[in-house]
Amino acid sequence: MRKRNRWMALGMAAALLAGVIGSAATVAAEVHNDLDYDASGKKYAFVFKATGNPNGEKQMEGFKKVIEAYGGEVILKSPEAATVEGQITIVNELIQQQVDCIAITGNDVDALQPILTQAMDAGIKVLSTDGQVNPESRMIHVNQADSKLVGQTLAQGVADMIDNKGEIAVLSATSQSANQNTWIAYMQEELDENFKDVTCVEVAYGDDEFQKSVDQTQALITNYPELKAIVAPTTVGIAAAAKVVTDEGLNGKIAVTGLGLPSEMAEYIESGVCPYMYLWNPDYVGALTAYTSMALVEEKITGAVGDSFDGYLGDEKRSFSVTEALDGGTEVLLGEPFEFNSENISEWKDVF
């Protein structure tokens, strides 16, 4: 049975997220272009982890809509696989193209530093989004949610699912993914402090590739016959894990939770394989990345603590403040994780 304080926290988060994740109508709203930005004649690039990732595609769509609404040229790039080598090649090409700004979802927190430093030395504004790179490699990071809260929420959610006792496993993206590793670390910290009878037996890596994530899920089920739940803080991983649990007839024996897209996870939430999961609006992540990019290029901000700029999330105009990030750099924060469950999934499954 869920803890009362968790419901209270989620209720507060839902209230705060009224302007962050938006209603179905708000998510589909047209992009506003009445703010003091002019991207005409400028090239804005967005580099995601890998091709074929629905979360990344939604982020890039949100980014593209905003930049183009203000007259800018958009370049969307991703390597075939979630490798740092592929991203280095792409960034090098973007430097040669003399783009004005590069927003990157890093496949490694440190390995991109030489090429991103080269980009900044060439006068290109560089920021990370979703998956951060280290502070020396960026001017600012666009963070979807408070990292500690994400980890705590995942821990509390999975503990509730298994009545606060038993074995769980984590199915992550890549072993170098900074945001995944941070969330998992805070999740483990929360389990150690408050759910001592819940044991994480392994952190497996599917590299944000669907088939590899399927294979890793099957290995977890085989290797840990007492496994009660799988937590996947990646949209690719959670969909793969839910499919395997469904196909293996393990609904009711192994629960799945994590971070997922409503459109991909609706059937599993409705079937009970995934009682509930969390995420934020990826379109809004892309939009906030676009406004942050334009604010940097137009020198409305430098990425320093205390800087602020305006942007729209759906139909709501908001002011965003730059704050200190947990890694010592700076960031701008979208909001808090939102719970999708059997009571609200029908509203969201056709949105994103």
Side-chain angles (χ1 to χ4, degrees):
M1 189 170 181
R2 298 198 191 188
K3 288 182 166 56
R4 182 173 178 272
N5 63 351
R6 180 167 175 271
W7 275 115
M8 290 174 64
L10 287 170
M12 293 171 63
L16 289 169
L17 279 162
V20 174
I21 194 161
S23 67
T26 302
V27 172
E30 293 183 5
V31 175
H32 297 262
N33 63 355
D34 58 342
L35 298 177
D36 185 25
Y37 296 107
D38 182 5
S40 58
K42 301 290 195 305
K43 298 178 182 179
Y44 290 84
F46 190 117
V47 182
F48 196 69
K49 297 177 181 179
T51 58
N53 185 310
N55 182 39
E57 291 170 358
K58 289 295 184 183
Q59 289 185 31
M60 289 190 288
E61 286 175 15
F63 180 85
K64 184 174 186 287
K65 285 187 295 185
V66 171
I67 296 296
E68 290 187 343
Y70 286 89
E73 178 182 343
V74 177
I75 301 172
L76 304 176
K77 294 284 188 177
S78 302
E80 287 296 320
T83 65
V84 68
E85 293 82 8
Q87 288 190 320
I88 289 172
T89 298
I90 289 172
V91 173
N92 186 56
E93 293 172 353
L94 293 172
I95 293 172
Q96 302 308 312
Q97 294 176 44
Q98 298 181 322
V99 299
D100 294 277
C101 184
I102 298 173
I104 187 166
T105 300
N107 282 330
D108 189 287
V109 67
D110 295 317
L112 287 159
Q113 183 171 334
I115 192 66
L116 293 179
T117 299
Q118 182 181 338
M120 288 187 284
D121 288 344
I124 299 171
K125 308 299 185 184
V126 173
L127 64 150
S128 57
T129 181
D130 187 347
Q132 75 265 36
V133 294
N134 68 38
E136 289 74 27
S137 303
R138 69 180 199 250
M139 300 177 70
I140 191 173
H141 175 61
V142 176
N143 202 350
Q144 313 100 313
D146 178 271
S147 296
K148 186 172 185 179
L149 183 58
V150 172
Q152 291 173 332
T153 300
L154 291 174
Q156 293 163 10
V158 72
D160 285 339
M161 284 182 186
I162 64 173
D163 295 324
N164 301 333
K165 185 177 182 179
E167 295 182 351
I168 68 168
V170 173
L171 177 61
S172 188
T174 68
S175 59
Q176 299 85 24
S177 180
N179 59 340
Q180 302 273 318
N181 292 340
T182 301
W183 296 332
I184 293 167
Y186 280 120
M187 174 184 158
Q188 188 62 62
E189 180 181 285
E190 177 72 6
L191 292 176
D192 291 342
E193 291 181 0
N194 298 307
F195 303 97
K196 299 185 184 299
D197 292 329
V198 176
T199 303
C200 182
V201 293
E202 184 179 337
V203 177
Y205 301 98
D207 292 346
D208 259 355
E209 297 176 12
F210 188 81
Q211 187 56 52
K212 185 170 182 179
S213 297
V214 165
D215 296 341
Q216 290 293 315
T217 301
Q218 291 171 332
L220 289 171
I221 292 172
T222 299
N223 294 337
Y224 304 100
E226 301 301 317
L227 193 66
K228 288 189 174 182
I230 296 172
V231 183
T234 160
T235 58
V236 175
I238 192 174
K243 183 180 188 304
V244 172
V245 169
T246 299
D247 291 349
E248 297 289 333
L250 296 173
N251 189 357
K253 296 182 180 180
I254 298 177
V256 176
T257 190
L259 306 178
L261 290 169
S263 58
E264 294 189 324
M265 292 299 295
E267 65 176 293
Y268 303 117
I269 289 178
E270 291 164 350
S271 72
V273 167
C274 175
Y276 42 89
M277 64 174 192
Y278 311 90
L279 199 63
W280 32 82
N281 188 333
D283 184 87
Y284 286 3
V285 176
L288 180 54
T289 302
Y291 286 115
T292 308
S293 298
M294 290 190 296
L296 284 171
V297 170
E298 298 182 26
E299 299 186 344
K300 298 179 185 296
I301 64 172
T302 63
V305 172
D307 284 351
S308 64
F309 61 96
D310 293 333
Y312 277 96
L313 297 180
D315 288 327
E316 182 188 7
K317 180 182 176 181
R318 292 185 57 192
S319 180
F320 297 94
S321 297
V322 180
T323 59
E324 185 174 356
L326 291 170
D327 62 5
T330 62
E331 68 180 13
V332 59
L333 192 64
L334 179 67
E336 301 183 14
F338 181 79
E339 180 180 296
F340 297 95
N341 53 49
S342 60
E343 294 181 1
N344 63 23
I345 192 63
S346 62
E347 176 186 355
W348 291 100
K349 64 182 181 181
D350 295 326
V351 178
F352 68 93

